[in-house]
Amino acid sequence: MTVYLVGAGPGDPGLLTLRGAEVLGRADVVVHDRLSAVELLDLAPASAERIDVGKAPGKARYTQDEITALLVERGSAGQTVVRLKGGDPTVFARGGEEAMALRDAGIAFEIVPGVTSAIAAPAYAGIPVTQRFSSTSFTVVTGHEDPSIGEDGSVDWDAVANVGGTIVVLMGVGRVAKICERLIAAGRDPDTPAAAVIWGTKPEQRSVRATLATLPDQDLESPATIVVGAVAGLDLSWFESRPLFDRTVVVTRARAQSSSLLASLRELGAGTVEIPAIHIDEPADGGSSLRAAVDRLADYDWVVVTSPNGARRLLAECRDARAFGAAQVAAIGPGTAEALAEGNVVADLVPERFVAEGLLEVFDDGPGRVLLPRAAEARDVLPEGLREKGWDVDVVEAYRTVQGRPSDDDLARAAGADIVTFTSSSTVRNFLAVCDTVPPTVACIGPITAATAREHGLTVDVEADVHTIEGLLDALIGHVRNR
Ligand code: SAH
């Protein structure tokens, strides 16, 4: 019904507005540019059509007229259309032209403002565009037009120079020398601080500090936001100072589990590549033995759960909250205990060492019955150890870990990454089955995983002392800091 002209923000997907997310969530069609944040497209319903107008098969890209015609056509067909644009849709983004065409065609439209790179890229480089007393205005200007003295572009560079305050130039990399020269000629001090923020707000952000006289000599590339003025001399760096900034980390967990690790890595500044080396699948028997075991759950003295996946599978089969009866529950690892707690089952025993051996050390002797729901391909240490202690153990296959198939794009990014993280032995095996190139730094969650990595010829650089995701992250930060 409506065409929404939505600002996607400058690159960090977190900088989309709530309104933008809401309209994306009910779009029939998303018309997007060669966006910096592809993740945002995932916010649209899976069924929504996604049209990349930044590139089109067989031709360079859509012309502006073709884009406008597309919006009018889809809008008049009654579709909910989201026109997603980098930064703010009205800042050097032709949102005004698109809105005019929609108005003239009698199609309802809305403008959903976005966070513009003009402010956000400097902010992520630790440069506030205004500062009390010293920088009391900011001028955002396009650098696309030729600023050579004598040519009459429509930007009045003398006026821009003389208004004082901060000057923010977008699309200025190609003409940076002429722009700086022009501002100096108009009376700005050549020693005025000047900065360029390249790929601002993205994991690959790079900021360059210089002066009006020296900025053109720096190594610049597009897209960059150029900032000229006293504020460009302030150093409030935070984004580029985060512990894992400028590192690309491969995450090899199953996709369903990887989100917390991914989120933490990004929070620490790392770029991430997901190689869902394994994913979790139904057991070979479709879950019938697990279901049968759950029906007899109260017959057991102990239920020993060894992984969050095992916990989730077990709880998914428990249709009656009383199913456990008097059976006690042991969990290996706090993640497993947490997964149980999410289903309102509080583990009675969580050994301090988060491996099978750790449980055997603290587990009482039998007799009695133990149910051990776990992955098809798990080690035999636990059932054998428990049997030695006099327990009658039923091992039930609760899930299978299956080889994932990463995209070529992700494989290429993984090959160029700095760090790979392994959170279980199967992630090592499955990663090596799909990736030929191993990143230079190998980080493992614990000794068993590390041993598997070494068996496969890898050098383990980081081994977590505490065998949890947090422990792994701490070890990784320590390693990066020491280098
Ligand atoms: N509507 C956009 C601007 C489009 S013009 C906005 O509001 O941000 C394109 C220019 O924006 C680029 O040439 C560059 O100067 C700037 N730009 C866009 N994304 C950027 C980013 N991630 N970092 C730095 N500058 C960026």
Side-chain angles (χ1 to χ4, degrees):
M1 293 296 276
T2 303
V3 178
Y4 298 92
L5 305 175
V6 178
D12 179 345
L15 296 179
L16 179 75
T17 64
L18 287 175
R19 176 69 175 154
E22 191 253 313
V23 297
L24 262 175
R26 55 186 170 82
D28 295 315
V29 51
V30 183
V31 178
H32 62 93
D33 293 322
R34 194 172 54 86
L35 274 188
S36 7
V38 280
E39 295 95 326
L40 295 182
L41 296 179
D42 294 340
L43 296 176
S47 59
E49 189 183 352
R50 291 152 169 84
I51 305 177
D52 181 352
V53 292
K55 59 171 192 277
K59 50 181 177 172
R61 49 159 45 221
Y62 283 64
T63 63
Q64 185 57 47
D65 285 347
E66 287 169 331
I67 296 172
T68 310
L70 182 66
L71 298 181
V72 169
E73 178 201 317
R74 296 312 187 91
S76 37
Q79 290 190 303
T80 296
V81 183
V82 169
R83 170 72 179 111
L84 196 58
K85 290 166 169 289
D88 180 273
T90 64
V91 177
F92 303 132
R94 308 186 76 162
E97 287 159 61
E98 291 171 4
M100 275 185 233
L102 292 164
R103 179 200 58 194
D104 293 348
I107 295 162
F109 67 90
E110 277 188 29
I111 299 177
V112 182
V115 173
T116 178
S117 55
I119 298 172
Y124 271 51
I127 301 172
V129 290
T130 71
Q131 183 81 342
R132 236 156 91 86
F133 307 121
S134 67
S135 306
T136 52
S137 71
F138 64 99
T139 306
V140 181
V141 56
T142 170
H144 203 52
E145 297 175 11
D146 197 325
S148 305
I149 303 165
E151 272 184 51
D152 48 3
S154 51
V155 175
D156 182 344
W157 287 94
D158 281 333
V160 169
N162 289 312
V163 78
T166 306
I167 303 168
V168 178
V169 187
L170 299 188
M171 298 180 281
V173 172
R175 299 183 197 274
V176 62
K178 284 184 175 178
I179 292 167
C180 291
E181 197 181 296
R182 190 72 189 77
L183 291 171
I184 293 170
R188 280 286 180 113
D189 186 339
D191 292 331
T192 307
V197 188
I198 298 148
W199 285 118
T201 80
K202 300 272 291 175
E204 49 272 45
Q205 173 175 314
R206 182 163 68 84
S207 58
V208 173
R209 305 296 188 117
T211 65
L212 208 40
T214 61
L215 190 65
D217 305 331
Q218 312 297 315
D219 171 27
L220 305 182
E221 58 177 314
S222 267
T225 295
I226 294 170
V227 191
V228 177
V231 290
L234 293 174
D235 187 2
L236 299 169
S237 170
W238 59 273
F239 186 74
E240 291 170 48
S241 314
R242 292 169 307 157
L244 297 182
F245 180 76
D246 215 17
R247 301 294 200 291
T248 302
V249 182
V250 181
V251 171
T252 56
R253 309 189 88 191
R255 187 156 271 163
Q257 299 172 293
S258 52
S259 54
S260 75
L261 178 57
L262 282 171
S264 305
L265 285 168
R266 289 183 189 140
E267 203 66 23
L268 292 164
T272 51
V273 190
E274 256 182 288
I275 298 293
I278 52 171
H279 69 263
I280 305 305
D281 213 343
E282 288 272 297
D285 66 2
S288 56
S289 359
L290 182 63
R291 270 189 294 280
V294 167
D295 285 340
R296 297 177 271 104
L297 211 48
D299 295 350
Y300 290 97
D301 300 288
W302 280 95
V303 180
V304 176
V305 190
T306 60
S307 72
N309 287 313
R312 283 185 210 107
R313 282 278 161 174
L314 176 73
L315 294 172
E317 297 298 346
C318 268
R319 271 168 292 261
D320 185 333
R322 297 161 296 185
F324 282 87
Q328 289 196 279
V329 180
I332 297 186
T336 307
E338 246 164 60
L340 286 167
E342 275 163 24
N344 295 340
V345 173
V346 179
D348 301 284
L349 174 67
V350 186
E352 261 170 41
R353 291 209 305 133
F354 312 148
V355 290
E357 289 81 353
L359 180 89
L360 292 172
E361 278 162 19
V362 297
F363 210 72
D364 285 339
D365 289 340
R369 297 191 62 197
V370 176
L371 175 67
L372 185 56
R374 57 178 204 161
E377 18 329 74
R379 297 183 303 144
D380 291 327
V381 178
L382 197 51
E384 280 169 8
L386 289 170
R387 283 179 190 127
E388 271 167 32
K389 282 173 166 280
W391 293 96
D392 185 3
V393 184
D394 286 344
V395 178
V396 174
E397 191 179 317
Y399 61 94
R400 261 183 318 154
T401 54
V402 184
Q403 188 80 60
R405 259 171 298 278
S407 69
D408 290 348
D409 212 31
D410 283 344
L411 282 176
R413 290 186 56 226
D418 304 291
I419 300 166
V420 58
T421 55
F422 292 121
T423 51
S424 68
S425 294
S426 55
T427 60
V428 177
R429 286 191 288 272
N430 289 305
F431 176 81
L432 292 175
V434 293
C435 291
D436 302 328
T437 314
V438 179
T441 300
V442 173
C444 294
I445 198 162
I448 310 282
T449 307
T452 306
R454 287 190 195 99
E455 273 163 32
H456 286 80
L458 306 185
T459 305
V460 176
D461 307 277
V462 180
E463 192 181 310
D465 294 329
V466 182
H467 315 319
T468 60
I469 294 299
E470 291 71 34
L472 178 62
L473 290 168
D474 283 346
L476 204 50
I477 292 169
H479 177 80
V480 168
R481 196 171 282 145
N482 285 340
R483 294 191 103 198

